Amino acid sequence: MARDAERGPAIDARERGRLRTFRSLDDRNFRWFLTSIFSGFTSNDMQQFLRGWLVFELTDSYAALGLMSLLNGMTGLLLALVGGVVADLVKQRKYVVQIGQGLSGLNALVLALLVFSDLLRVEHVLIAAAIHGGSNNLTMPSRQALTPDVVGPARLMNAMGLYSTSQNAAKLLMPGLAGGMVGALSDPGTIGGAAYVYVLIFVIYTFSVATMFPVRVPDRSPGERSFASLRGDLADGFRFVAGHRPLAVLLICNPIFALLGLGHFVLLPGFAKEVLDAGPAQLGLLTSVSGVGAVVGSLVVASLPGRRRGTLMLASSVLLGGSLVAFAASTSYWLSLLLILFVGFGQAGYLGLMNVLVQVLAGNTHRGRVMSIYMMEFNITQLMLFGVGIVTSIYGPQATFAAVGASLVALSLVLLARSPTLRGIE
C-alpha cells in the first residue's frame, strides 16, 4: 500500500504527459463546442476552395482571384471590429456564432440554386465572397473568445491547440472531398458539380448550428457597456494594445507575416492549373495534403509547454517561407504534394502559436476586442492580396510564390536576431 502511494504521483505525472495533447476533451462542454466548430470549419474550407476554383474557371485571371480576396476582406474589415465589441458585450457568445454560421449556410444554398438553374456568373461568386467575409468576421471574435469561456484558463493552450487541429483537419479532409465531388459530378469543362457541393455545405452549416445548442456556458456580465458605447469600446481596445508592448509587437508583425505566409492559398487554384496542370480533384488533394502537415503542426502546438513560444513562432515562419520557395520551384505535381506538406506544417506552427499568444496576452476583459483587431489584420491582408494578384498576372505564379517565401524567411531571421521582445514572449 505504501509502495503504491509512493508510486501514485509519478504514475499520475506520466499519465498527464501522455494525455496532455487531448486533455481538454475530458470536458463534455468542450466536446460539443469542438464538434460545432469543426463542422463550421469543414463548411468554410469547402466554400473557400470551391469559390477560388469557380472564379479561376470562369475567368482564368489571377486578378479576379485577388478581387475575390479584396471583396471578402473589405466586408470583413468593416465588421471585424464590430464583432469584437459584440463579443465583449453580449451575455451569450454562442448565439453570435450560431447566427453567423446560419447566414453562411444560406449563402451557400443560394449559390447552389444558381448553379442548378445554370444562372451562376462570376459576379455572384464575388458577392457571395463579400457576404461570407462579413458573416465570418462578425462572429469570429465571439468564436475565438468563447474558447476560454468553455475550458477555462488552465487548459487554454491545449484547447486552442485542439481548436487549431480541428481547423486544419477540416482543411485536410474537405478540399479533397469538394474537388473530388466537382470532378466526379461535372461534365468536362463545366461547373455543374459545384451545386451538390454547395448543398452539402448548407447541410453541414446547419449541423454546426445545432451542435452548438448543448454547449453550456454561464451568461456573462458585460457590465455597463451598451451598443451606444461602440466607439469608446473600440478605442479602449486599441489603447490596451498600444500600452501592452509584447501584444503590440505581435499585432504589428502579424499582417506582414500573414501576407507573406498565407496569401498563396488564394492564388493556388491558378498555380495548380497553369504550373502543375491539375484539375479540381488534384487541386483538392493538394490543399488536403497541406492540411495533413497543418494537423501535425497544430498537434505539436497543443503538446508544447508554455515556454519560448515567441521563438518557436518565428522558427515556424522560417520553415513556412522556405517551404514556399521550394514549392514555387517545382513543376512536378507529386513533388509539389510533398513540399506543400511542409508548407502546412509551418503555417500551423505560426498560426497556432500566434493565436495562443494573442489570446493569453489579451486577458479576459479585452479578449474579444483584441481578437477583433487580430482578425481585422487578416482582412487587411486580403485587401493587399488584390495587389499580389495583379503582380502574379504580370510575373507569373512561380516567381511570386518564390518572392514572398524568401521575404518571409528573411524577415523571420531578422526578428529572431534583433527582436528580444518577440523572442522573450513565453
Side-chain angles (χ1 to χ4, degrees):
M1 183 78 70
R3 185 177 301 159
D4 289 343
E6 289 173 3
R7 295 174 58 216
I11 293 172
D12 289 346
R14 288 196 297 271
E15 288 301 314
R16 284 195 297 270
R18 280 196 291 269
L19 299 177
R20 174 185 292 169
T21 302
F22 302 103
R23 68 182 184 272
S24 293
L25 294 176
D26 293 340
D27 187 329
R28 177 181 177 274
N29 246 4
F30 184 71
R31 292 197 299 270
W32 277 114
F33 173 73
L34 197 63
T35 300
S36 175
I37 293 301
F38 175 70
S39 303
F41 284 146
T42 60
S43 307
N44 185 68
D45 281 318
M46 293 176 78
Q47 196 154 331
Q48 287 184 339
F49 166 84
L50 194 56
R51 186 163 62 220
W53 178 77
L54 280 171
V55 167
F56 202 79
E57 282 295 306
L58 294 170
T59 65
D60 282 324
S61 169
Y62 289 100
L65 288 173
L67 179 60
M68 176 191 72
S69 180
L70 175 70
L71 294 172
N72 186 271
M74 283 178 63
T75 54
L77 185 61
L78 291 171
L79 292 174
L81 289 176
V82 177
V85 174
V86 170
D88 284 339
L89 180 65
V90 297
K91 292 183 177 180
Q92 273 291 350
R93 288 166 171 158
K94 75 174 188 178
Y95 297 145
V96 180
V97 177
Q98 288 174 300
I99 290 170
Q101 303 287 58
L103 288 174
S104 295
L106 290 175
N107 194 28
L109 183 61
V110 169
L111 289 172
L113 295 174
L114 287 170
V115 178
F116 276 129
S117 304
D118 201 23
L119 297 174
L120 186 78
R121 301 194 306 271
V122 68
E123 293 90 337
H124 298 136
V125 185
L126 296 176
I127 292 170
I131 294 171
H132 190 222
S135 64
N136 237 6
N137 284 273
L138 184 63
T139 59
M140 194 170 291
S142 289
R143 188 164 67 231
Q144 296 268 17
L146 187 60
T147 309
D149 294 344
V150 173
V151 299
R155 295 184 175 185
L156 178 58
M157 181 163 178
N158 176 257
M160 289 307 302
L162 293 175
Y163 181 103
S164 296
T165 300
S166 71
Q167 187 172 16
N168 292 312
K171 187 179 296 182
L172 183 161
L173 298 169
M174 292 300 113
L177 174 62
M181 286 180 65
V182 170
L185 298 173
S186 301
D187 293 327
T190 69
I191 61 169
Y196 300 98
V197 181
Y198 274 125
V199 169
L200 179 60
I201 290 169
F202 169 73
V203 171
I204 297 175
Y205 267 128
T206 303
F207 179 76
S208 177
V209 172
T211 50
M212 185 63 77
F213 280 110
V215 177
R216 295 287 177 258
V217 182
D219 285 348
R220 301 173 61 254
S221 298
E224 299 300 320
R225 289 189 303 240
S226 67
F227 284 100
S229 65
L230 174 64
R231 183 181 301 175
D233 282 343
L234 290 175
D236 182 52
F238 279 106
R239 281 194 298 269
F240 175 78
V241 170
H244 195 307
R245 181 174 173 78
L247 184 59
V249 172
L250 279 175
L251 291 176
I252 288 170
C253 292
N254 182 55
I256 305 170
F257 277 81
L259 176 66
L260 297 175
L262 309 178
H264 61 281
F265 275 111
V266 173
L267 306 173
L268 191 60
F271 187 102
K273 184 176 182 179
E274 293 191 349
V275 178
L276 303 177
D277 194 27
Q282 290 77 26
L283 172 61
L285 180 59
L286 198 67
T287 309
S288 293
V289 169
S290 170
V292 174
V295 167
V296 174
S298 56
L299 285 172
V300 170
V301 170
S303 303
L304 289 173
R307 296 192 301 272
R308 305 191 62 173
R309 290 180 288 194
T311 299
L312 290 171
M313 183 192 73
L314 292 173
S316 297
S317 65
V318 171
L319 174 62
L320 172 56
S323 301
L324 274 175
V325 172
F327 180 80
S330 171
T331 57
S332 163
Y333 177 75
W334 298 107
L335 177 59
S336 296
L337 278 178
L338 174 64
L339 292 171
I340 207 167
L341 188 73
F342 293 96
V343 172
F345 185 88
Q347 175 190 320
Y350 165 75
L351 279 178
L353 287 163
M354 172 65 80
N355 201 339
V356 168
L357 291 174
V358 171
Q359 290 261 16
V360 170
L361 295 177
N364 290 328
T365 304
H366 292 84
R367 184 171 285 120
R369 280 161 288 178
V370 171
M371 293 310 296
S372 70
I373 295 171
Y374 178 61
M375 293 312 305
M376 177 192 71
E377 294 181 339
F378 286 103
N379 288 293
I380 292 173
T381 298
Q382 290 197 27
L383 301 184
M384 294 188 288
L385 280 171
F386 179 58
V388 176
I390 301 288
V391 170
T392 306
S393 296
I394 298 171
Y395 295 103
Q398 288 182 283
T400 305
F401 276 43
V404 297
S407 300
L408 180 59
V409 171
L411 176 61
S412 303
L413 291 175
V414 168
L415 290 173
L416 273 170
R418 308 284 295 180
S419 178
T421 299
L422 280 178
R423 290 199 314 270
I425 297 175
E426 296 291 337

